[in-house]
Amino acid sequence: MQYGLQKHEIKEIINYSLNNNPDLKYYIDNDYFDEFMELLLEGICNAIEQNNRQIYRDIEQSPITRHR
């Protein structure tokens, strides 16, 4: 069972937020910036995904969960 958002859902939310100001992307029309943003989004998504996995491991190993 998967709890929380999946990686692609997180990326969609962040992209949606960034696209709320399309003028910004127009003024910063640079391939390096686009690549930087893609790497940043990927890193954020990976960090959230790893954090969620660790939370699940911690919950499974907690004394309360083990007694159920």
Side-chain angles (χ1 to χ4, degrees), residues 35-68:
E35 186 175 340
F36 170 76
M37 287 304 296
E38 187 63 33
L39 290 171
L40 182 62
L41 283 174
E42 196 68 29
I44 292 169
C45 291
N46 287 335
I48 292 170
E49 195 173 54
Q50 288 176 18
N51 183 59
N52 288 345
R53 278 197 299 266
Q54 186 61 47
I55 289 170
Y56 303 139
R57 276 188 235 123
D58 293 346
I59 290 171
E60 289 173 353
Q61 294 174 1
S62 73
I64 295 171
T65 310
R66 281 189 277 167
H67 292 297
R68 288 184 179 176

Side-chain angles (χ1 to χ4, degrees), residues 1-57:
M1 179 183 287
Q2 172 81 26
Y3 294 98
L5 299 174
Q6 298 209 5
K7 188 175 180 178
H8 71 277
E9 294 171 317
I10 296 165
K11 195 169 183 178
E12 286 176 9
I13 292 169
I14 295 170
N15 271 326
Y16 178 78
S17 295
L18 292 173
N19 289 330
N20 279 336
N21 190 350
D23 290 340
L24 182 63
K25 198 167 188 179
Y26 173 77
Y27 289 114
I28 307 175
D29 189 16
N30 184 327
D31 291 335
Y32 292 115
F33 182 76
D34 290 340
E35 186 175 340
F36 170 76
M37 287 304 296
E38 187 63 33
L39 290 171
L40 182 62
L41 283 174
E42 196 68 29
I44 292 169
C45 291
N46 287 335
I48 292 170
E49 195 173 54
Q50 288 176 18
N51 183 59
N52 288 345
R53 278 197 299 266
Q54 186 61 47
I55 289 170
Y56 303 139
R57 276 188 235 123

